[in-house]
Amino acid sequence: MGRVIIDVSMSIDGFVAGPDDSESQPLGENGERLHEWMFRHDQPQAGDVPSAKPPDARVVEELMASIGAVVIGRRTFDLGLRHWGDVPFPAPCFVVTHRPRAELAMSNGSFTFITEGPAVALRRAREAAGDRDVAVMGGDTGRQCLAAGLIDELHIHLVPVLLGRGVRLFEHADADPIGWEIADVTPSPYVTHVRYRMPRP
């Protein structure tokens, strides 16, 4: 069985989206700056040999190849669908929602709407993913899965920008400390990719 991961770009002051998100601005004010690195990976990086793939391109390619299903929050779905024009990954997506609707088929997958909560959505996603990974998208859904101990790995793309305001992934100041292992660190001129692993008994 694959891993359950949160893969997210984050400012160095801890925000995964800017404030005042909307349909016209799904990542909030200045939130698009968190994802600029994804569109720069075709540029050569310092020290690369001509045939080497830039580190940011490798990170994106490996992520896309690993994902077998997605669990996504309803607000992320509502704000993102028009901009994606399809599923966010070429895989079945399970939307955690209190507002049920019929399954939505897309070119590269489908959206299935789950009203029983993130744990049920994750179970359905793991069944669909088989041996591949399940990605969890959306700040609130990600926080719920973290609080329930359902996340195996955190993939944080740390962007050298201060947003000052916005949406945070980590909002558990009163929770018990949770220790994670650093599994991998990949730097580039635009972002630092850090992969954390939850130790399991």
Side-chain angles (χ1 to χ4, degrees), residues 72-193:
I72 187 170
R74 179 61 188 255
R75 182 160 179 80
T76 301
F77 165 82
D78 287 341
L79 295 181
L81 181 61
R82 181 165 65 91
H83 298 270
W84 300 325
D86 204 331
V87 287
F89 292 89
C93 296
F94 298 86
V95 182
V96 180
T97 183
H98 296 296
R99 292 174 285 138
R101 57 170 286 179
E103 180 174 312
L104 179 60
M106 307 299 288
S107 297
N108 292 308
S110 61
F111 293 100
T112 301
F113 297 83
I114 305 295
T115 58
E116 295 89 353
V120 172
L122 265 177
R123 176 173 55 77
R124 295 277 303 276
R126 296 193 90 157
E127 290 169 356
D131 293 334
R132 300 174 72 196
D133 296 338
V134 173
V136 176
M137 297 178 62
D140 185 58
T141 299
R143 284 190 293 272
Q144 291 182 61
C145 290
L146 279 168
L150 300 173
I151 302 298
D152 298 312
E153 291 192 4
L154 294 169
H155 299 183
I156 306 295
H157 311 291
L158 194 62
V159 181
V161 62
L162 295 168
L163 288 185
R165 298 183 301 139
V167 177
R168 295 184 186 272
L169 177 61
F170 306 117
E171 292 283 8
H172 297 293
D174 297 327
D176 292 333
I178 301 173
W180 293 76
E181 298 174 345
I182 296 177
D184 186 67
V185 179
T186 303
S188 89
Y190 310 118
V191 61
T192 301
H193 310 281

